Amino acid sequence: MTADVTTGLLERVEHRMRSLLSAEREAWAHVDERAVVPIDALSELIASGGKRIRPAFCITGHLAAGGDPDDPAIVAAGAALEMLHASLLVHDDVLDDSSRRRGLPTVHAKHTALHHSRGWQGESRRFGEGVGILVGDLALVYAEQLMSQAPVTAVREWDKLRSEVLIGQYMDVAAAAEFSVDPRLSRQIALIKSGRYTIHRPLVVGASVAGRADLAPAFAEYGEAVGEAFQLRDDLLDAFGDSAATGKPAGLDFTQHKMTLLLGWAMQRDESIRTLITEPGHSAEEVRRHLMDTKVPDDVERHIADLVDRGCKAIADAPIAPQWRDELKTMARRVAYRDA
């Protein structure tokens, strides 16, 4: 029953996003053929799939709080979260110089290639990255439009979410540039830029739409623990995952010098890993072998298990129906042990 209701709402979220983009395209199509290019780029990204984790947690938070499944505000909030995620993905790909996303060329890579193939003026890379920035910004505008339909209490949580994820992104970029071994900072960045934004805040936004601010403390404790587990799984997938399954290049954290907890712990045990990552001439496979030799991936797996356990305990006494407590436990394991 819980799965059926959630699936139905996620389908409505999907329809809401696509309807908005379709209406925007229709409004701009008569102006000039160039006017629809950023809308089409965003539509292609939305249509390419994705796990829809943030709207799923938002909807679950709402339903667990006793919210009305027919409330259009929860559909708008879920769509806003996914549209924000699309914005961050496009910008992330520019920051990380990533060539593929969900098995397709990233927005900036596609438009860099287009500029080059047509022999346009200026630098192809600069053009492509400019398009990526603008498409990401456009998604932010649409996210704001959608969230404006939610109650004020949910918008307050949304404001916190947006500012902290961007500050967390900066911290991530700065830590990569400094490349200093600081596992404490790595965990803090994972929490701020990913954990809260992926699970904690969406849950609280959903509960806020239902008028249940009292659930915020339990959802925060659950969300931060499970959100960190989610990010650590992401780090492991980047290092050891199959790019055919993840839909993006493997080893990006290595090439971008991302100071993940995985790398931070590993470099505390084997200083040569720094050289493998920062100096040219070393392959990602070499880095992976050294990481395995440190046994740190096993430690990260144990830490993920502890975080999932902590998250499940955080909602053990939360004032929600048992079926939603079980659903949140299932979701915690699903995001922490995914393979893509």
Side-chain angles (χ1 to χ4, degrees):
M1 179 66 174
T2 56
D4 291 343
V5 177
T6 302
T7 299
L9 280 168
L10 282 171
E11 288 172 355
R12 288 171 60 192
V13 165
E14 205 72 27
H15 177 73
R16 185 75 182 83
M17 289 191 294
R18 297 191 187 209
S19 296
L20 185 155
L21 292 168
S22 177
E24 282 292 294
R25 194 186 199 284
E26 186 176 347
W28 284 99
H30 72 282
V31 175
D32 187 271
E33 62 182 10
R34 298 168 187 81
V36 299
V37 170
I39 301 169
D40 286 346
L42 183 54
S43 297
E44 185 178 73
L45 177 61
I46 294 294
S48 68
K51 295 176 281 293
R52 306 301 193 244
I53 290 173
R54 291 145 198 90
F57 275 101
C58 180
I59 287 166
T60 301
H62 179 72
L63 297 173
D68 181 359
D70 294 324
D71 186 349
I74 193 59
V75 174
L81 285 161
E82 190 60 29
M83 198 66 78
L84 172 66
H85 183 53
S87 168
L88 293 169
L89 290 182
V90 176
H91 285 167
D92 241 9
D93 290 336
V94 173
L95 289 169
D96 294 343
D97 194 23
S98 180
S99 61
R100 301 192 73 75
R101 169 72 65 181
R102 296 174 181 167
L104 299 172
T106 53
V107 172
H108 75 278
K110 178 179 178 178
H111 289 273
T112 295
L114 177 69
H115 183 282
H116 179 75
S117 68
R118 296 192 177 177
W120 288 344
Q121 297 298 308
E123 297 176 34
S124 296
R125 179 188 175 103
R126 189 170 179 83
F127 174 80
E129 290 181 347
V131 173
I133 291 168
L134 293 170
V135 170
D137 286 352
L138 186 62
L140 275 177
V141 171
Y142 294 151
E144 284 298 303
Q145 289 179 9
L146 289 161
M147 191 56 80
S148 69
Q149 299 164 38
V152 173
T153 50
V155 173
R156 288 196 198 104
E157 199 67 25
W158 165 255
D159 288 341
K160 294 176 190 174
L161 182 157
R162 287 180 306 146
S163 60
E164 70 192 358
V165 72
L166 292 174
I167 290 169
Q169 288 281 60
Y170 169 75
M171 292 172 67
D172 191 37
V173 169
E178 296 164 16
F179 207 59
S180 59
V181 180
D182 187 350
R184 181 200 61 81
L185 177 61
S186 297
R187 287 192 66 188
Q188 191 176 48
I189 291 171
L191 175 62
I192 295 172
K193 86 155 195 168
S194 184
R196 289 177 184 165
Y197 144 72
T198 302
I199 298 173
H200 167 197
R201 300 293 183 200
L203 276 171
V204 178
V205 166
S208 297
V209 173
R212 289 288 305 278
D214 61 296
L215 288 173
F219 281 171
E221 191 176 350
Y222 166 92
E224 293 196 0
V226 178
E228 185 181 353
F230 168 88
Q231 182 56 49
L232 291 175
R233 177 60 57 197
D234 218 41
D235 297 342
L236 288 170
L237 286 171
D238 181 88
F240 302 105
D242 180 359
S243 59
T246 63
K248 54 186 179 181
L252 266 180
D253 287 348
F254 305 155
T255 58
Q256 296 300 315
H257 303 157
K258 291 294 179 72
M259 185 47 71
T260 62
L261 185 63
L262 171 69
L263 286 178
W265 278 353
M267 284 194 290
Q268 283 183 329
R269 297 183 190 179
D270 183 351
E271 292 182 2
S272 70
I273 292 174
R274 171 187 286 275
T275 302
L276 293 175
I277 292 174
T278 58
E279 295 184 7
H282 301 285
S283 68
E285 190 53 44
E286 282 184 272
V287 180
R288 292 188 191 98
R289 283 200 304 269
H290 276 71
L291 286 174
M292 293 302 292
D293 288 344
T294 66
K295 308 298 184 186
V296 165
D298 294 335
D299 291 343
V300 172
E301 288 287 3
R302 282 189 287 272
H303 189 44
I304 287 172
D306 289 343
L307 288 165
V308 170
D309 186 53
R310 189 191 312 168
C312 292
K313 286 178 179 175
I315 55 166
D317 297 320
I320 58 177
Q323 66 264 32
W324 291 109
R325 192 175 294 115
D326 291 342
E327 178 65 13
L328 284 168
K329 290 177 180 178
T330 299
M331 292 175 76
R333 289 187 285 270
R334 191 181 301 145
V335 298
Y337 295 106
R338 70 194 191 282
D339 57 9

